[in-house]
Amino acid sequence: MTKLYAVIMAGGGGTRLWPISRRSRPKQLLHLDRDRSLFAVSVERLRPWLPMTQILVAASPELSALLQREAPGLAAANFLEEPAPKGTAPVLGLAALELQKRDPEAVMAVLTSDHAIADPDRLQALLEAGARLANGGKIVTLGVPADAPDTGYGYIRRGKPLEAVSGERAFAVEEFKEKPDRKTAEAYLAEGSYAWNSGMFLWTPARLLEEIARQMPELHRCLQLGAAEGIHSQAFRSAWNDLQPQTIDYGVMENAREVVMLEADGLGWSDIGSWDRVYDLLPKDGDGNAVLGALSLSQDASGNLVVAEAGDPAARLIVLQGVEDLVVVDAGDVLLICRRDESGKVRQIVDRLERDRRDQFLV
């Protein structure tokens, strides 16, 4: 097998899971079971087959200390700290520089710290197949077959089928689509050639840097400066601070050459991008109510999600009477109540609090 390295992206804020997810305690630290955070699970699903020395984490300096406590087997040197948040394109360019230095034969798998994957063995098979393609110069994306008109995911339009790799179905990629409205998502599903964009990619560091040089020259110059003078130099940090934030999707993937999609069926995948998706992943009582970390009592109530800070000795009893399909999240200083099918709009509340400078409810 090629020399595969995982780069786990762990710098996001997870604002759609506010008010539990905050700037100082983002979504990847959320516990969907009693003992492990989403980030810890993202590391543990790789450990049976990937050495810990080949698992890197991209995060801010402020989050790195918190994340290291969640995965004590990872050395501090495997946490790649960006000088300032600039989006996923710059930080992945930085990771590519680091991997080139560590291992000239590296293949880089970009993974997530806050997604649910029910079948880790299936992920391993896809990554090993993707690494073979990446080692041959391709940029690889994992596309999850769309089975619903979900407006919370980006989409990939697959083109002609390619030769299977290690038994995995592969397709040329025609285009990437951002999160659509409901009508457009329904059209994608009916058309049948669209997959959900999982946000997981594979490439060699050199191949990514080649695309950055072609599409993002300012970032390329900054990275060249880092390679020449070191990423801790004042010149590099000044150039980094001048960068405009950009995502890997917009900055690279949408116009990248030789992009191949592997069909990532059977993963049991969810990006946990809203409280409604958290509800889907949790066990339910006989009335379809789910509880996470809360002390709760339901009567003549169904289809509800109740969430509170786990282990809070001052936790209050949350009682639901005669209601259905609600999300109730008690974060101590904030109580969120909304319909489950409206929970994707929580991010708009965060945006409003930011505009109003009510930061005490965001940190």
Side-chain angles (χ1 to χ4, degrees):
M1 194 185 82
T2 55
K3 195 69 171 292
L4 185 66
Y5 286 75
V7 177
I8 299 175
M9 303 297 288
T15 53
R16 286 178 293 174
L17 293 188
W18 180 87
I20 296 294
S21 181
R22 306 285 184 99
R23 292 172 184 165
S24 60
R25 190 182 59 241
K27 179 173 69 168
Q28 52 267 33
L29 296 176
L30 179 70
H31 287 231
L32 290 189
D33 63 32
R34 189 178 301 272
D35 301 317
R36 301 178 302 170
S37 67
L38 291 172
F39 171 72
V41 171
S42 73
V43 174
E44 289 171 16
R45 69 170 64 106
L46 302 174
R47 290 185 67 170
W49 61 278
L50 195 64
M52 293 291 273
T53 53
Q54 290 168 227
I55 301 174
L56 282 67
V57 179
S60 67
E62 294 77 17
L63 283 180
S64 287
L66 293 173
L67 295 170
Q68 286 179 52
R69 291 200 290 268
E70 297 289 319
L74 276 179
N78 278 27
F79 284 79
L80 306 177
E81 297 178 352
E82 53 185 331
K86 293 294 179 179
T88 52
V91 76
L92 286 173
L94 199 59
L97 275 189
E98 177 63 24
L99 280 182
Q100 273 193 327
K101 183 172 66 175
R102 292 191 184 198
D103 189 341
E105 298 180 355
V107 171
M108 179 174 163
V110 179
L111 305 178
T112 58
S113 62
D114 53 6
H115 291 186
I117 294 176
D119 190 345
D121 292 338
R122 181 78 185 105
L123 178 64
Q124 178 185 352
L126 287 162
L127 293 180
E128 289 179 347
R132 288 185 58 189
L133 284 168
N135 207 42
K138 304 296 185 184
I139 285 183
V140 183
T141 181
L142 302 188
V144 177
D147 59 11
D150 200 305
T151 61
Y153 296 142
Y155 284 73
I156 302 168
R157 186 178 184 183
R158 64 176 183 264
K160 66 179 181 180
L162 305 174
E163 183 179 351
V165 182
S166 302
E168 301 295 343
R169 297 180 68 194
F171 299 85
V173 171
E174 288 196 356
E175 60 183 332
F176 289 85
K177 295 286 190 178
E178 286 304 302
K179 297 171 184 176
D181 58 28
R182 179 77 181 188
K183 184 177 180 180
T184 303
E186 289 173 348
Y188 289 169
L189 190 65
E191 200 272 345
S193 62
Y194 288 86
W196 289 326
N197 184 356
S198 71
M200 293 185 280
F201 310 104
L202 296 102
W203 44 55
T204 62
R207 184 69 180 85
L208 174 61
L209 293 171
E210 174 190 309
E211 285 291 344
I212 287 174
R214 184 173 68 85
Q215 300 189 59
M216 304 182 70
E218 183 181 358
L219 173 58
H220 178 63
R221 287 192 291 271
C222 176
L223 294 173
Q224 283 186 311
L225 192 59
E229 301 194 20
I231 63 172
H232 299 294
S233 67
Q234 184 58 44
F236 170 77
R237 288 179 174 269
S238 177
W240 182 275
N241 288 334
D242 288 339
L243 291 173
Q244 292 299 311
Q246 185 57 277
T247 66
I248 195 69
D249 297 273
Y250 278 124
V252 172
M253 293 304 297
E254 287 193 356
N255 294 298
R257 298 168 177 166
E258 295 188 276
V259 183
V260 175
M261 187 197 88
L262 289 180
E263 188 172 69
D265 57 333
L267 274 180
W269 171 86
S270 170
D271 80 343
I272 320 181
S274 69
W275 286 116
D276 195 29
R277 296 209 186 112
V278 172
Y279 170 85
D280 290 339
L281 293 168
L282 293 175
K284 319 291 192 300
D285 66 15
D287 294 313
N289 298 303
V291 179
L292 179 62
L295 183 61
S296 179
L297 175 65
S298 297
Q299 181 171 282
D300 297 328
S302 63
N304 301 293
L305 171 65
V306 182
V307 181
E309 294 280 7
D312 182 357
R316 54 188 143 193
L317 175 66
I318 299 174
V319 180
L320 302 184
Q321 166 64 51
V323 296
E324 60 184 25
D325 300 330
L326 293 182
V327 171
V328 180
V329 183
D330 185 0
D333 59 339
V334 176
L335 179 63
L336 168 70
I337 303 172
C338 66
R339 290 188 55 83
R340 270 187 28 228
D341 59 6
E342 293 283 313
S343 64
K345 297 180 180 179
V346 166
R347 187 169 186 170
Q348 297 173 16
I349 299 171
V350 174
D351 291 342
R352 182 173 175 179
L353 290 170
E354 288 176 341
R355 288 195 305 270
D356 295 343
R357 298 182 181 179
R358 302 179 75 176
D359 286 1
Q360 71 270 30
F361 300 117
L362 301 174
V363 296

